[in-house]
Amino acid sequence: MTVRLVVFDVDGTLYSQRVLRALMVGELLVFLIRHPLRFRDVIIVREYRRVHETFHSMECSNLEETLVAAVSARLSIGHQQVRRVVSEWLFGRPLKYLRYVCFPEVKETIHHLKKSGVAVAFLSDHYPVGKLEALGFEAEQAYYSTRPDLNCLKPNPNLLSKILSDFGVLPCECVVIGDRDDRDGELARVAGARFILFPDKNDRAGLLTRIERCSFV
């Protein structure tokens, strides 16, 4: 079956999340030296990551507000402060580093896919538009868990079903690329699509070659 659509995860797949986090730790340390009274920002970011990671994948009416409310309740901090800190440290400050930590192979692969007529979409559990623009990718085909028409986390199959429906593609014609088998891989399997783990130190073949192989499966 020919591959007609490739769906890329964002964090850890388009760029090195390990290197980015190291850079952000350095920035955070400098920030705390200059603003020691804002140490609670660290606690908010840590708690938001913890809530997000352990939150169930079932749909809810407003996922973003539900996550913020959970962090707010656990830390006894106002919703507005949680939103401000999360927006600053997870979606604002990291943007300036992204072009330095982007995987060149992914950029080349996406360029080749589009040139060959294969559709490309992006799917993330976090708001990805700013990141995609910083990386030099088109954000028009960005799907994310807190979108009002989605409101669920991976591996809920409704996320991928929405993309397949919008592109008019069958699950067997779609390949999902991601760095987490438990989230991205499970999402693909439940929806009936194929999955490629990337980066994958156990597979020396190039990403484009691995995608092309799926056309002959």
Side-chain angles (χ1 to χ4, degrees):
M1 182 67 70
T2 301
V3 175
R4 296 179 53 205
L5 169 67
V6 179
V7 179
F8 286 85
D9 168 53
V10 177
D11 301 304
T13 302
L14 302 184
Y15 63 88
S16 174
Q17 196 168 40
R18 179 182 59 81
V19 176
L20 178 63
R21 284 183 176 176
L23 291 169
M24 288 306 300
V25 167
E27 178 164 336
L28 185 58
L29 290 174
V30 173
F31 175 81
L32 290 176
I33 291 173
R34 295 175 177 173
H35 309 280
L37 296 181
R38 285 186 61 181
F39 182 78
R40 206 161 199 193
D41 285 14
V42 179
I43 298 174
I44 293 173
V45 171
R46 184 181 61 185
E47 190 61 29
Y48 182 86
R49 288 188 179 279
R50 181 179 298 150
V51 168
H52 192 284
E53 182 67 21
T54 59
F55 198 78
H56 58 73
S57 61
M58 300 298 291
E59 294 178 67
C60 58
S61 59
N62 189 325
L63 177 60
E64 183 174 14
E65 184 58 31
T66 300
L67 294 170
V68 169
V71 176
S72 177
R74 290 189 183 193
L75 301 179
S76 299
I77 296 175
H79 290 204
Q80 187 173 353
Q81 184 178 358
V82 173
R83 291 193 199 94
R84 176 188 62 77
V85 172
V86 169
S87 177
E88 177 182 356
W89 286 101
L90 295 184
F91 305 120
R93 287 177 178 263
L95 297 183
K96 58 182 174 290
Y97 299 117
L98 290 181
R99 64 191 182 101
Y100 301 109
V101 297
C102 180
F103 292 126
E105 183 179 4
V106 173
K107 271 200 168 183
E108 295 168 5
T109 299
I110 291 176
H111 175 74
H112 187 279
L113 290 172
K114 290 185 174 181
K115 190 175 179 180
S116 302
V118 178
V120 171
F122 302 96
L123 174 60
S124 178
D125 271 341
H126 298 279
Y127 181 72
V129 173
K131 294 178 181 179
L132 291 172
E133 292 174 345
L135 289 164
F137 296 119
E138 296 177 3
E140 287 79 4
Q141 302 303 335
Y143 293 78
Y144 47 97
S145 294
T146 54
R147 257 177 51 161
D149 58 340
L150 295 175
N151 278 313
C152 56
L153 294 166
K154 300 172 186 174
N156 191 310
N158 290 340
L159 293 168
L160 189 54
S161 295
K162 170 63 174 172
I163 301 176
L164 295 173
S165 176
D166 285 354
F167 281 86
V169 172
L170 297 173
C172 59
E173 298 173 319
C174 172
V175 176
V176 176
I177 314 290
D179 67 314
R180 293 187 58 173
D181 184 75
D182 63 326
R183 294 290 181 93
D184 307 306
E186 184 62 17
L187 170 73
R189 288 187 288 272
V190 173
R194 283 162 287 181
F195 173 65
I196 292 176
L197 182 68
F198 182 87
D200 183 2
K201 62 182 180 181
N202 296 318
D203 194 329
R204 295 180 178 275
L207 180 56
L208 184 59
T209 298
R210 297 175 68 191
I211 295 172
E212 291 172 340
R213 286 176 184 167
C214 293
S215 297
F216 302 101
V217 175

